[in-house]
Amino acid sequence: MAALGWAVLLRAAVGLRWRPVCAAVGLRGYRPARGYTGVPAQSPPTFGFLLDIDGVLVRGHRVIPAALEAFHTLCSPQGQLRVPVVFVTNAGNILQHGKAQELSALLGCKVDPDQVILSHSPMKLFTQYHDKRMLVSGQGPLVENARALGFRNVVTVDELRMAFPVLDMVDLERRPKTTPLLRNDFPAIEGVLLLGEPVRWETSLQLIMDVLLSNGNPGTGLATAPYPHLPVLASNMDLLWMAEARMPSDNPMSDVYGANLFHQYLQRAKRGGAEAQGAGGLRKQQPSATQSCTSILVCTGVYSPGDAASTGPGPGGGEPPFHGHRDFGFSPSLMEASHTVKDVNEAVQLVLREEGWAV
């Protein structure tokens, strides 16, 4: 499957900070980003935060108390952020503006939709697929999300199931009692779009496999399986997150690893103007104003300081198993955070101290 690597790069769990190339952001012509307002008594910050949501700011539907303390510091009395903040999450079953409204209510400050990066947000870059007929799987407002990303011709798993009821053979209760006529008027599917985990895994997996094995013409048979198969754009490979239930384990693979990988990318791009690496051959990226990305691991989420199971050696004393995308390779050093703190408030205080920025 051609997975979407950029979703991993942007999903930084933990608090992150960056330094723009142009440190003199107070020069004429500088305009603060939406959702952010500078403080007149202070020079504009040359750093900002990428904040994961689940386990860092909230647990399920409950805000973590330390997050309220952190945003009391980061926000002005008028509820405007004094420092640029972007919220990144593996969630994909909600619209961008809906997530912004949810965060605004929980944190007591104004969050604009363009400050929210969902797991599938980077799919806006995959313009070469936006006019193709794509089968979309996941839950929530699937069609609305797909169209907001630029995909103009999508079909849902439920629409495919209704068109070809004999393909959904896993659930015995939904098998048709009679054999319907096969349709020959259903337009061919040209790719698969995975925007998140589906509610009924068995149906989605069955129909996606049927689409791939039939080269986009479900209900027909081919003598041999097509290779390469139709493109599959997957926005989220992480199956572990922190909600209300406490399940002790260690998950730096998609969080700290992604943040450090982003930092590594920034350094490589700064040295040689390298192209961004992603599935499908993304166009050459413009030079980033971001110079560095420092990972700060917080201990209110999946990670537990006393459990190093996923960072320790694998069976037989070898390297730990790598659950990331195959194109990334594995580097154990990228699983080590620059800082480890108890919660997001301590992370914010740490950054402000290091930046010499008054609270």
Side-chain angles (χ1 to χ4, degrees):
M1 293 186 180
L4 183 61
W6 268 88
V8 177
L9 291 178
L10 291 175
R11 195 219 179 232
V14 307
L16 305 176
R17 60 193 175 95
W18 69 85
R19 299 174 186 270
V21 172
C22 180
V25 289
L27 292 176
R28 237 184 320 235
Y30 168 75
R31 294 183 180 179
R34 291 177 59 192
Y36 154 74
T37 179
V39 179
Q42 249 174 337
S43 60
T46 59
F47 64 96
F49 292 89
L50 291 174
L51 295 176
D52 188 19
I53 298 174
D54 296 307
V56 176
L57 304 179
V58 301
R59 263 219 180 117
H61 297 289
R62 297 181 180 180
V63 65
I64 295 174
L68 294 178
E69 297 176 27
F71 278 86
H72 179 75
T73 298
L74 292 174
C75 288
S76 69
Q78 293 75 36
Q80 295 289 328
L81 287 164
R82 302 188 298 141
V83 174
V85 177
V86 173
F87 302 87
V88 289
T89 177
N90 258 2
N93 59 352
I94 189 172
L95 293 171
Q96 196 173 16
H97 69 81
K99 197 65 176 178
Q101 291 175 346
E102 179 184 301
L103 289 169
S104 297
L106 288 171
L107 300 174
C109 68
K110 175 65 173 154
V111 177
D112 287 321
D114 57 8
Q115 290 176 263
V116 177
I117 297 177
L118 301 172
S119 62
H120 48 62
S121 295
M123 286 186 174
K124 292 178 182 178
L125 299 174
F126 283 63
T127 55
Q128 68 268 41
Y129 299 107
H130 286 176
D131 286 323
K132 294 185 180 297
R133 183 167 170 82
M134 304 291 287
L135 174 66
V136 59
S137 175
Q139 58 180 293
L142 281 176
V143 174
E144 294 92 332
N145 267 325
R147 288 178 177 163
L149 294 169
F151 295 92
R152 290 175 278 272
N153 189 3
V154 297
V155 56
T156 67
V157 170
D158 281 340
E159 289 172 336
L160 181 64
R161 180 178 65 84
M162 294 299 291
F164 299 95
V166 295
L167 296 183
D168 187 18
M169 299 299 287
V170 179
D171 189 337
L172 300 181
E173 295 296 324
R174 296 207 302 192
R175 286 190 184 181
K177 306 304 179 188
T178 59
T179 303
L181 294 175
L182 289 178
R183 291 185 54 173
N184 57 10
D185 62 340
F186 196 82
I189 292 172
E190 300 173 279
V192 180
L193 193 60
L194 306 181
L195 297 187
E197 66 278 2
V199 175
R200 301 180 67 96
W201 287 84
E202 76 285 353
T203 293
S204 288
L205 289 173
Q206 177 67 66
L207 269 63
I208 288 171
M209 290 301 297
D210 285 329
V211 165
L212 296 179
L213 291 173
S214 65
N215 203 33
N217 295 283
T220 64
L222 296 177
T224 58
Y227 187 83
H229 58 64
L230 295 176
V232 179
L233 307 184
S235 66
N236 185 357
M237 299 179 290
D238 189 5
L239 299 179
L240 196 60
W241 70 94
M242 177 59 75
E244 289 92 345
R246 265 223 175 264
M247 295 292 290
S249 57
D250 189 310
N251 189 36
M253 186 61 70
S254 65
D255 299 345
V256 172
Y257 199 95
N260 290 335
L261 193 62
F262 183 42
H263 176 75
Q264 188 179 81
Y265 162 81
L266 291 172
Q267 303 313 298
R268 185 170 62 246
K270 189 165 58 174
R271 288 193 303 267
E275 293 187 14
Q277 298 299 314
L282 290 177
R283 62 183 181 275
K284 188 172 182 178
Q285 303 297 301
Q286 295 298 318
S288 174
T290 307
Q291 283 193 333
S292 65
C293 177
T294 302
S295 57
I296 305 176
L297 177 60
V298 302
C299 300
T300 51
V302 170
Y303 175 76
S304 174
D307 182 9
S310 63
T311 57
E319 290 186 345
F322 178 54
H323 303 290
H325 189 262
R326 63 189 178 192
D327 290 347
F328 289 159
F330 178 59
S331 175
S333 64
L334 294 181
M335 294 179 65
E336 299 176 6
S338 301
H339 304 275
T340 300
V341 296
K342 67 177 182 180
D343 54 42
V344 68
N345 185 48
E346 188 172 307
V348 166
Q349 300 299 329
L350 169 67
V351 171
L352 296 182
R353 284 196 308 271
E354 290 203 357
E355 295 293 337
W357 219 68
V359 177

